[in-house]
Amino acid sequence: MKDSVHRAIEAVWRIESARLIAGLARMVRDVGLAEDLAQDALLAALEKWPESGVPDNPGAWLMATAKRRAIDLLRRNTLLDRKHVELGHELESHQESAVSALDATLDDDVGDDMLRLIFTSCHPVLSPEARVALTLRLLGGLTTDEIARAYLVPEPTIAQRIVRAKRTLREARVAFEMPRPADRPARLSSVLEVIYLIFNEGYSATAGEDWVRPGLCEDALRVGRMLAALMPDESEVHGLVALMAIQASRLAARVAPNGEPILLLDQDRGRWDHVLINHGLAALERAERLADTMGPYALQAAIAACHGRAHTADETDWERIAALYDALASLVPSPVVELNRAVAVGMAFGPAAGLELVDELLSEPSLAHYHLLPSVRGDFLTKLGRVDEARTEFQRAAALTRNARERALLLDRAARS
C-alpha cells in the first residue's frame, strides 16, 4: 500500500511541481525559496498520504499546503529576514496585505508564472550545465539523484550546480518576470537550446551503458509542449516540439531487445510511434504558418519529417534532406551541420560525393575528437569498397565515443569491414 502511495506521490510531483514552484516564486520573488516551500508540501504529502490516502485532487492539496507554508513564513517575518534588502520596512508595514495578496494570487491562472519560471531557469547568466540541471529540477520534477544518473556525474556535482545556480540568480538579482520584448529573442534562444540539450542527451547518450534514455526525452518534450502552450505565436517553439516529437517516435525502434543500437536505415518502421509523428507534423505545419522563413529548429523538424513520412528507408527523399541542410547551413553554419549535410549528399548523390565533403572537414579543429566524423567517413569508405580504410575509421570512432553501446556497434562494424 505504502509503495503504491509513494509511486502516486512521485507521479503527482512530476506533474505538479513546476506549477507549484512557479506560483510561489511570483510572490516570494526567489526561485530557491519557492522550491523549498514546494518541497515542504511534498514532505507533508509523504507523511500524511500513506495514512489518509491520496486526495481526489492531489495537485490542489499540494498547492494549498504550500500556500499555508508561505503565508506562515510571511507571518513569522522569516521572509522579511531573508529579503530585507529588497523589501525593507515596506513589507513589515504591509505584511497583512502581502499575505492576502499571496493567498489570492496563488489561485490565479499560472500560465504566465510557468513562462517566467522557464525563462528564469534558463537565464543566460547561468552556465549551460547549470541551466540544464536547474530546468530538470524545477520543470522536470527530477531529483538530484535522477539528474546525476541521467548525466553520469556524481550526485554532489549536480547538487552543487543547482545550489550555485539558485545563488547566482539571487546574487545577480534576476527578476522573476518575462524579459523585455527586446531581450526575448536571445532569452528564448537560450530556453530552446536547454530543452533540446536535454532531449539530445536522452536520444543519444554521450556516455554510459545505455544508448538512449527515454525519460529525458519525455521530460524535454513535456517542457517543450508546455512552452508551446504558453507562447503559441512563436514559430521556433513549435519547430522544436515538432523536431522532438518526430525523433522521439523512433525511440522504441532504436534499441534491440538486448540493448544494442539499431541505426536509422535498419529500423523496423512499424515500431515507430505514428501518433507522435502526426503530432510532430502538425506542430511543424504550425511553425511554417507562423513564419515567412523557417528557423533552425523548424528546418531540422522538416528534415526529421522526411524520415517520418517515408514508409521504408528506400522511400526517403534524400535530395530534399540535402536541400534542407543547405538552408540550415546558411542559417546556422557549423561543422556538425556540414557533416550531416555530407551524409545527406552522400545518400542522395552517391558515397563519393559525400566522402568529398567529409574530407573537407578533416582539418576542422572542433571535430578532432568527434566520433561521428570517422564513423561517417568509414560508412562512405565501406560503400566505395575501401574496406581497410573503413576499418581504421570505425576503430578510431570507437576509441573516441564514451558510450559503451555505440563503441560496441562501431567495433562490430570494424570487424565486418
Side-chain angles (χ1 to χ4, degrees):
M1 172 64 179
K2 286 189 176 182
D3 287 344
S4 64
V5 171
H6 284 170
R7 286 195 296 271
I9 292 172
E10 289 175 4
V12 170
W13 180 253
R14 289 284 175 95
I15 295 168
E16 298 290 345
S17 60
R19 174 179 178 269
L20 205 60
I21 294 167
L24 291 162
R26 172 147 57 105
M27 280 306 298
V28 300
R29 317 302 293 180
D30 185 322
V31 169
L33 178 56
E35 191 196 3
D36 289 343
L37 292 166
Q39 289 282 349
D40 285 345
L42 175 63
L43 290 174
L46 289 169
E47 291 172 2
K48 296 182 179 181
W49 291 6
E51 300 298 329
S52 63
V54 179
D56 291 336
N57 191 336
W61 190 98
L62 287 171
M63 181 63 85
T65 301
K67 186 193 303 182
R68 286 195 298 270
R69 300 290 173 105
I71 291 170
D72 289 344
L73 191 62
L74 278 170
R75 285 176 174 155
R76 292 196 310 267
N77 283 332
T78 305
L79 185 59
L80 175 62
D81 293 337
R82 292 187 62 168
K83 302 287 287 181
H84 67 277
V85 174
E86 295 88 352
L87 303 179
H89 297 295
E90 181 181 353
L91 177 61
E92 189 173 38
S93 61
H94 296 91
Q95 191 177 58
E96 289 305 317
S97 63
V99 170
S100 299
L102 177 61
D103 192 44
T105 55
L106 284 178
D107 290 326
D108 289 346
D109 178 74
V110 296
D112 289 343
D113 291 338
M114 289 295 295
L115 198 53
R116 293 185 187 102
L117 182 61
I118 290 173
F119 273 88
T120 300
S121 65
C122 297
H123 196 284
V125 73
L126 303 174
S127 69
E129 295 82 5
R131 292 179 217 165
V132 167
L134 193 61
T135 300
L136 285 173
R137 178 62 172 261
L138 298 182
L139 294 159
L142 274 68
T143 64
T144 304
D145 176 61
E146 287 172 324
I147 301 170
R149 281 190 282 112
Y151 281 89
L152 301 176
V153 297
E155 185 176 351
T157 301
I158 292 296
Q160 288 173 3
R161 284 180 189 172
I162 293 172
V163 168
R164 288 171 183 164
K166 294 175 186 175
R167 185 170 63 240
T168 298
L169 292 174
R170 185 168 60 250
E171 292 175 351
R173 298 179 182 273
V174 173
F176 187 74
E177 61 187 17
M178 276 294 292
R180 293 174 299 178
D183 297 332
R184 287 178 191 173
R187 292 282 296 276
L188 180 59
S189 174
S190 172
V191 170
L192 297 178
E193 178 187 6
V194 168
I195 295 172
Y196 197 40
L197 277 173
I198 295 169
F199 181 88
N200 270 338
E201 183 57 31
Y203 189 75
S204 184
T206 55
E209 297 295 324
D210 298 319
W211 198 38
V212 299
R213 298 191 181 100
L216 283 179
C217 293
E218 292 166 6
D219 286 320
L221 187 53
R222 181 163 60 84
V223 174
R225 285 171 169 165
M226 187 188 304
L227 185 61
L230 296 170
M231 302 184 73
D233 297 326
E234 289 289 343
S235 172
E236 275 292 80
V237 176
H238 296 289
L240 177 58
V241 170
L243 172 59
M244 293 191 297
I246 297 171
Q247 287 186 317
S249 72
R250 309 174 199 150
L251 283 172
R254 293 192 83 222
V255 183
N258 63 359
E260 291 182 359
I262 302 176
L263 299 178
L264 176 62
L265 299 183
D266 299 324
Q267 289 170 16
D268 176 2
R269 300 190 178 209
R271 298 188 65 204
W272 288 4
D273 186 332
H274 292 279
V275 172
L276 268 181
I277 291 174
N278 289 334
H279 285 169
L281 294 176
L284 176 58
E285 184 180 341
R286 188 167 186 177
E288 291 172 339
R289 285 201 311 266
L290 287 169
D292 294 332
T293 57
M294 289 193 290
Y297 291 109
L299 281 169
Q300 291 177 79
I303 291 168
C306 290
H307 296 293
R309 292 188 179 105
H311 298 295
T312 66
D314 291 339
E315 292 179 21
T316 307
D317 189 348
W318 285 106
E319 290 190 20
R320 173 163 170 73
I321 292 175
L324 288 167
Y325 270 119
D326 285 341
L328 185 63
S330 65
L331 193 61
V332 283
S334 83
V336 172
V337 171
E338 289 297 335
L339 181 59
N340 287 327
R341 186 172 75 90
V343 172
V345 168
M347 294 299 295
F349 305 109
L355 182 62
E356 182 179 352
L357 294 177
V358 170
D359 286 348
E360 292 175 5
L361 298 171
L362 292 177
S363 59
E364 172 56 48
S366 64
L367 297 181
H369 302 288
Y370 189 53
H371 70 283
L372 290 181
L373 177 61
S375 175
V376 168
R377 193 165 189 271
D379 186 61
F380 284 144
L381 289 168
T382 298
K383 291 175 179 176
L384 291 169
R386 296 160 60 179
V387 292
D388 291 338
E389 295 172 82
R391 184 182 308 112
T392 299
E393 292 299 303
F394 287 132
Q395 289 171 341
R396 179 166 172 261
L400 290 173
T401 184
R402 292 186 294 135
N403 185 280
R405 294 289 185 181
E406 194 165 25
R407 183 182 305 113
L409 173 69
L410 290 164
L411 289 175
D412 181 63
R413 295 195 73 184
R416 288 188 284 112
S417 295

